[in-house]
Amino acid sequence: MRTYTNVKDLGDLNVAVKEALEVKKNRFGYKRLGENKTLLMVFFNSSLRTRLSTQKAGMNLGMNTMALDINQGAWKLETERGVVMDGDKPEHILEAIPVMGNYCDIIGVRAFARFENKEDDYQEKILNRFIKYSGRPVFSMEAATGHPLQAFADLITIEEYKKTARPKVVLTWAPHPKALPQAVPNSFADFMNEADVDFVITHPEGYELDSKFVRGAKVEYNQDKALEGADFVYAKNWAAYAGSNYGKILSKDMSWTVTTRKMALTNNACFMHCLPVRRNMIVSDDVIESPQSIVIPEAANREISAQTVIKRMLESL
Ligand code: CP
């Protein structure tokens, strides 16, 4: 595997989940694979789970691991060509990337949407430059339009907790004080559309996601109706995608918060969220602390999704 940016990079999804569950049972069984190999994690944005779980995954595989926080201690990077660099950015990303590539064997990149230019975000300008210029296998640790390590961990978690062969999985928008990218819901939809689940997306009008990710999923604007009979409720906020509203907050409607009343509409559903989560905005204290909440095992599976992806990359070196 040379790149990991979306569900297609995993090939057969059933095989990938089976492999992940094998990795989970025997996470130290592949230590020789990473011997004398170095994993570099490059962060343009903050992280708790991704940083720790990916580093742990690399260590499980016997790798040396390094992390670079671009905004803390590195030179500020210019990302545009043709700019006269007489401002506060002393280094160009087109030199920085191949230099980083020289110091490692595999690179993970976190570079969120900036909401300055929709085209730049949806063309994955930063991530694709790492793919093009680093000379190394590159995986996304959440980019502008996707968070495939999260979605893979989510699918593994659903596989572990499902009580029926084809569960109903509902992705619901929920309110948030800040404008958040669409990366997590995009990738979740990307994966659920390929998985053997009954997938429904619910959000207020105006929050439609890119049709490239929604594909054939059912979109229901009435949250209560969408939640009826759900086996999994996946809550997430995102800012508007469509048209000139890109990156804007259109609603903070607290009636979309996932509460005990909302969960009572479901088939005793498991509650999921990628974390970090704003309590009593996205989800009530009662729900996230309930036995139905599986946010902690979901986060734990981030180590497994990362290890499975890095293992495949090591096998292809
Ligand atoms: N879910 C997730 O990616 O968490 P972090 O932003 O803390 O890495």
Side-chain angles (χ1 to χ4, degrees):
M1 184 190 273
R2 289 292 299 183
T3 59
Y4 181 63
T5 65
N6 63 64
V7 69
K8 294 269 185 286
D9 290 325
L10 286 177
D12 186 316
L13 208 44
N14 290 324
V15 171
V17 171
K18 217 171 141 202
E19 185 177 333
L21 294 172
E22 286 301 317
V23 164
K24 189 166 182 173
K25 273 195 263 169
N26 184 24
R27 65 188 83 190
F28 303 114
Y30 308 90
K31 258 198 179 299
R32 295 295 300 277
L33 267 180
E35 204 174 29
N36 296 329
K37 297 283 188 292
T38 299
L39 170 66
L40 171 62
M41 301 179 291
V42 181
F43 289 93
F44 288 80
N45 309 93
S46 305
S47 168
L48 187 156
R49 278 142 291 274
T50 303
R51 187 183 190 116
L52 295 179
S53 63
T54 309
Q55 183 166 5
K56 179 68 164 56
M59 293 191 302
N60 292 350
L61 290 160
M63 300 183 82
N64 301 308
T65 62
M66 305 190 291
L68 181 69
D69 295 294
I70 294 291
N71 297 320
Q72 284 171 20
W75 301 112
K76 271 193 177 177
L77 294 180
E78 177 57 61
T79 56
E80 299 305 316
R81 284 189 75 247
V83 170
V84 176
M85 289 172 57
D86 60 354
D88 65 342
K89 294 173 182 164
E91 177 144 29
H92 203 285
I93 198 165
L94 293 179
E95 282 81 57
I97 290 174
V99 167
M100 290 186 230
N102 275 306
Y103 303 143
C104 65
D105 299 281
I106 294 174
I107 305 184
V109 180
R110 166 163 282 204
F112 290 176
R114 293 195 265 194
F115 286 150
E116 287 165 8
N117 180 317
K118 185 175 180 174
E119 267 189 16
D120 282 0
D121 288 344
Y122 270 71
Q123 283 171 6
E124 291 288 9
K125 236 175 146 174
I126 304 277
L127 182 66
N128 282 328
R129 281 180 165 173
F130 274 87
I131 291 170
K132 191 166 175 189
Y133 296 112
S134 70
R136 302 294 176 201
V138 172
F139 62 95
S140 165
M141 298 195 299
E142 186 171 347
T145 66
H147 196 356
L149 285 179
Q150 180 65 53
F152 188 18
D154 298 334
L155 179 60
I156 296 164
T157 311
I158 288 170
E159 188 60 30
E160 289 177 321
Y161 281 84
K162 73 182 186 187
K163 295 190 197 97
T164 57
R166 195 164 193 280
K168 178 175 177 182
V169 177
V170 178
L171 167 63
T172 180
W173 178 94
H176 194 278
K178 293 192 168 178
L180 298 185
Q182 297 96 24
V184 169
N186 283 346
S187 278
F188 189 69
D190 204 23
F191 272 68
M192 290 305 112
N193 280 319
E194 298 294 324
D196 192 13
V197 300
D198 173 15
F199 182 47
V200 178
I201 305 174
T202 184
H203 55 72
E205 289 194 38
Y207 278 97
E208 290 76 15
L209 294 165
D210 185 348
S211 58
K212 182 173 103 181
F213 298 102
V214 175
R215 302 202 282 278
K218 184 174 179 198
V219 177
E220 169 59 66
Y221 294 110
N222 182 325
Q223 190 195 39
D224 283 6
K225 210 167 151 198
L227 292 174
E228 277 170 18
D231 298 297
F232 293 89
V233 174
Y234 194 100
K236 185 71 184 84
N237 174 268
W238 62 90
Y241 164 76
S244 58
N245 282 330
Y246 179 66
K248 289 188 183 154
I249 295 174
L250 306 179
S251 168
K252 288 185 188 172
D253 184 351
M254 298 291 279
S255 74
W256 282 75
T257 302
V258 179
T259 59
T260 305
R261 184 190 81 71
K262 297 280 181 180
M263 291 299 282
L265 299 167
T266 71
N267 181 28
N268 198 28
C270 292
F271 174 80
M272 300 178 75
H273 188 281
C274 62
L275 305 181
V277 69
R278 301 250 184 174
R279 283 179 176 221
N280 306 308
M281 289 289 302
I282 301 280
V283 58
S284 68
D285 289 322
D286 289 350
V287 170
I288 199 163
E289 291 171 6
S290 75
Q292 284 156 270
S293 171
I294 56 171
V295 295
I296 304 303
E298 180 185 359
N301 277 334
R302 289 294 308 277
E303 178 184 336
I304 307 307
S305 63
Q307 187 169 341
T308 307
V309 167
I310 299 167
K311 171 179 165 287
R312 285 187 174 193
M313 289 189 160
L314 286 169
E315 285 164 346
S316 74
L317 286 179

